[in-house]
Amino acid sequence: MDETLDIQAVLEAAIAEGRQVLYEGNVADYIPELAKAAPGSLGGCLIKPDGTVYAAGDYDIPFTMQSISKTFSLILALQTAGFNRVFSKVGMEPTGDRFDSILQLELKDWHPFNPMINAGAIVVSSCIRAKDPFDEFLKLVRKLCANDSISMNERVYYSEKQSGTRNRAIAYILMNDHILDGEWEDVEDILDLYFRMCSVMVTAKDLAHYAMVLANDGIDPTTGEQIVTPDIVRVVKTLMLLCGMYDESGEYAVKVGLPSKSGVGGGICAVAPNGMGIGVFGPKLNKKGNSVGGEKVIQYLSSHLGLHMLSDGKPYKSIAF
Ligand code: GLU
């Protein structure tokens, strides 16, 4: 990346650009508590490996991470159960279906296609080996985001637990087909863990720090600590690139070219090739369930800072806009 670029100015321009498309999206309401988010919010944060923080807009508003939790739970499952065990239960293939689809479990394969869709994440949750899996999850999130005050939003958790009939249906199909792992007594306990993980609150700044650690092969460059092994980081980033943006992952990879993960709470984290981490938040979602403003912000950053992982590191004007 060109070091003379004014990153703060580019980020502010990206947020202004993102605001232009907010009218195209809607706040998620299938989990009733999510519908209460302020629809006009949009913010972003970018952290360089030397710890320099660039932030603009609503970068410090907490929101529930929802599907972004799927990347943390995958790390925890790989750390505690190992690669072979986890991937004997879930695949590594992108799917063109919706994130909460049941279709492929019946029609194509009993094993979920990948850990970034709901069915896959429920299986991954069942693989986590820990006495108190949620406590271990929270510890990992706090460490990777460098924020000890991260906690769960009880109202969102109850709201999702009450309304999550589709996830419940998925979990029961997986149980019926003997795909779930571990010593769980009740499938409801696995669902409870999944709902809790989705309901953990972060800010765009927290996500930027997390993405920066992933961008540095699992080392937090601000402390020097290796939090996750490079092998696990490589697996997680590859799956983020292939499947992290639901059934929009291919188009997003063409336009943005950064391993990323979104959630229906409106967050996206994106891992830049030069060791930078990006986090954005905007609760208005497009039809695929991705933050409409957030995607625009990251797309703008990628082209103006030259971050596309398959480009030469120079700013580019995308033919895909
Ligand atoms: N908790 C949400 C669900 O399971 C997460 C979905 C998402 O962010 O994609 O429906």
Side-chain angles (χ1 to χ4, degrees):
M1 196 183 80
D2 179 352
E3 289 304 321
T4 63
L5 283 168
D6 182 347
I7 296 177
Q8 182 64 32
V10 173
L11 178 59
E12 280 166 20
I15 299 285
E17 193 85 359
R19 287 198 198 289
Q20 304 294 319
V21 298
L22 290 188
Y23 73 93
E24 291 174 12
N26 290 301
V27 174
D29 57 5
Y30 78 102
I31 298 169
E33 200 56 36
L34 292 184
K36 297 183 182 165
S41 308
L42 186 65
C45 181
L46 206 146
I47 308 186
K48 285 212 301 201
D50 66 3
T52 315
V53 176
Y54 304 90
D58 301 307
Y59 70 91
D60 57 354
I61 291 189
F63 55 92
T64 54
M65 60 171 150
Q66 299 298 333
S67 264
I68 299 168
S69 66
K70 294 174 166 91
T71 63
F72 293 95
S73 55
L74 178 60
I75 292 173
L76 192 55
L78 290 170
Q79 285 178 333
T80 59
F83 181 92
N84 291 341
R85 185 77 198 159
V86 172
F87 288 104
S88 70
K89 296 279 170 185
V90 65
M92 305 176 202
E93 301 302 335
T95 144
D97 301 326
R98 278 171 52 89
F99 67 94
D100 56 359
S101 176
I102 292 180
L103 197 68
Q104 39 123 344
L105 293 176
E106 276 290 286
L107 286 183
K108 299 181 190 159
D109 187 346
W110 292 357
H111 296 82
F113 267 40
N114 67 69
M116 301 292 153
I117 53 171
N118 288 10
I122 291 169
V123 171
V124 167
S125 306
S126 78
C127 292
I128 296 171
R129 299 273 178 281
K131 220 167 160 190
D132 184 342
F134 182 67
D135 189 53
E136 290 303 318
F137 174 86
L138 200 54
K139 278 191 207 147
L140 181 69
V141 172
R142 287 176 174 165
K143 185 139 225 170
L144 286 165
C145 295
N147 180 353
D148 282 340
S149 64
I150 287 175
S151 62
M152 190 186 82
N153 182 322
E154 297 277 345
R155 286 197 313 274
V156 174
Y157 159 65
Y158 283 118
S159 183
E160 183 160 0
K161 200 173 162 86
Q162 272 180 348
S163 63
T165 44
R166 197 172 176 84
N167 286 324
R168 197 158 270 116
I170 291 172
Y172 277 88
I173 291 175
L174 293 167
M175 178 181 71
N176 180 70
D177 295 341
H178 307 289
I179 309 292
L180 296 174
D181 198 39
E183 308 281 303
W184 301 82
E185 280 177 16
D186 191 341
V187 65
E188 288 293 333
D189 295 339
I190 301 171
L191 278 164
D192 188 74
L193 171 62
Y194 172 77
F195 294 143
R196 281 178 188 275
M197 294 192 295
C198 289
S199 306
V200 168
M201 280 187 299
V202 287
T203 63
K205 186 174 176 207
D206 295 329
L207 290 181
H209 195 96
Y210 170 46
M212 177 187 60
V213 175
L214 294 183
N216 288 278
D217 300 321
I219 296 174
D220 183 339
T222 63
T223 61
E225 188 184 354
Q226 180 93 53
I227 305 173
V228 186
T229 63
D231 280 348
I232 291 181
V233 170
R234 191 168 53 246
V235 171
V236 174
K237 284 197 293 194
T238 308
L239 287 164
M240 286 168 75
L241 181 71
L242 296 174
C243 326
M245 302 298 285
Y246 311 120
D247 45 337
E248 199 180 15
S249 299
E251 181 177 341
Y252 179 90
V254 169
K255 291 183 174 175
V256 176
L258 299 175
S260 301
K261 183 73 199 90
S262 64
V264 293
I268 307 176
C269 64
V271 182
N274 58 356
M276 285 193 324
I278 302 170
V280 296
F281 166 59
K284 280 192 158 195
L285 310 179
N286 65 16
K287 288 205 170 60
K288 304 276 185 175
N290 295 315
S291 170
V292 71
E295 263 193 6
K296 193 69 174 176
V297 170
I298 299 181
Q299 197 177 336
Y300 189 97
L301 292 173
S302 176
S303 76
H304 286 75
L305 299 177
L307 301 179
H308 195 298
M309 61 184 285
L310 299 177
S311 72
D312 59 2
K314 297 196 188 103
Y316 61 93
K317 174 119 185 65
S318 174
I319 56 165
F321 278 94

